Amino acid sequence: MIKLYTTALSGHGHRVEQLLKLLELDYEKIDAPHEVRITTEFLKINPLGQIPILIDNEVVLSDSNTILLYLVQKYDRVCTWYAKDIIGQAEIHMWLFIASGEIAFGPALARRTKLLNGDASLEEAQARAHKILTFINNHLKKYTWLALDKITIADLACYPYIAVADEGGISLDGYEYVKRWIKQVEEIQGISPMPRIK
Ligand SMILES: N[C@@H](CCC(=O)N[C@@H](CS)C(=O)NCC(=O)O)C(=O)O
């Protein structure tokens, strides 16, 4: 059975778990909070000490977006959550990189800094968050979903830390199209909302 190391409050883990559920794959969830991630045993699996980690028989993968791509290419033969064509795939990949770049260092970092005592600059993370939220809001003025005309792993990857952006002191007021999109993602059967810290 597939094993997923994660924690309830990890947006990186959230995106992977939602895809496992949507693909109706059986998986065992292993809670790996900070105390677990610094153990020798855990660091043997991922020397970076990060979650999520996915173990599928002999395959051991870290990095959430790598795991999303692995799962769709291995288990989503009809490409419900991915694209069959190279242009559609490129469109999706752009959003995966935004999730691991602008979103990770924007709203995700602001949340970690504000609520989990991170040592980064809260103001800088919030400023990066507003820049990417403006970009996404403008995009969603024209499109229903981030990539293609359906929900894909692009939306699963970008959703978690945007949905709880307020926990990093970032109000979504004024980002009306982003708010509409969050609601749409949460209305998809099988998707659980990103849990909040408080
Ligand atoms: N690029 C990684 C980042 C994952 C990540 O930052 N995970 C956090 C929890 S949400 C973590 O394990 N942090 C511990 C650390 O970096 O030491 C991914 O996309 O999975």
Side-chain angles (χ1 to χ4, degrees), residues 69-88:
L69 286 169
Y70 167 80
L71 289 173
V72 285
Q73 290 175 92
K74 179 151 185 202
Y75 294 109
D76 183 15
R77 298 263 157 74
V78 288
C79 282
T80 305
W81 308 98
Y82 193 44
K84 288 193 176 121
D85 65 294
I86 198 162
I87 297 172

Side-chain angles (χ1 to χ4, degrees), residues 63-136:
D63 188 88
S64 56
N65 296 331
T66 301
I67 298 170
L68 293 182
L69 286 169
Y70 167 80
L71 289 173
V72 285
Q73 290 175 92
K74 179 151 185 202
Y75 294 109
D76 183 15
R77 298 263 157 74
V78 288
C79 282
T80 305
W81 308 98
Y82 193 44
K84 288 193 176 121
D85 65 294
I86 198 162
I87 297 172
Q89 290 175 358
E91 226 181 284
I92 290 172
H93 296 175
M94 184 196 81
W95 289 104
L96 298 186
F97 285 105
I98 286 179
S100 63
E102 285 83 350
I103 293 174
F105 292 96
L109 184 59
R111 172 175 175 261
R112 192 160 77 235
T113 307
K114 196 162 181 347
L115 293 183
L116 304 173
N117 303 319
D119 53 10
S121 156
L122 180 60
E123 291 71 28
E124 283 175 24
Q126 288 172 335
R128 280 194 293 271
H130 283 296
K131 191 169 173 195
I132 192 61
L133 282 167
T134 301
F135 173 80
I136 296 175

Side-chain angles (χ1 to χ4, degrees), residues 20-38:
L20 286 168
K21 291 193 298 175
L22 293 167
L23 292 173
E24 297 181 359
L25 294 167
D26 282 335
Y27 63 97
E28 178 194 353
K29 189 154 77 164
I30 299 155
D31 193 35
H34 178 73
E35 317 80 83
V36 171
R37 299 199 290 262
I38 55 174

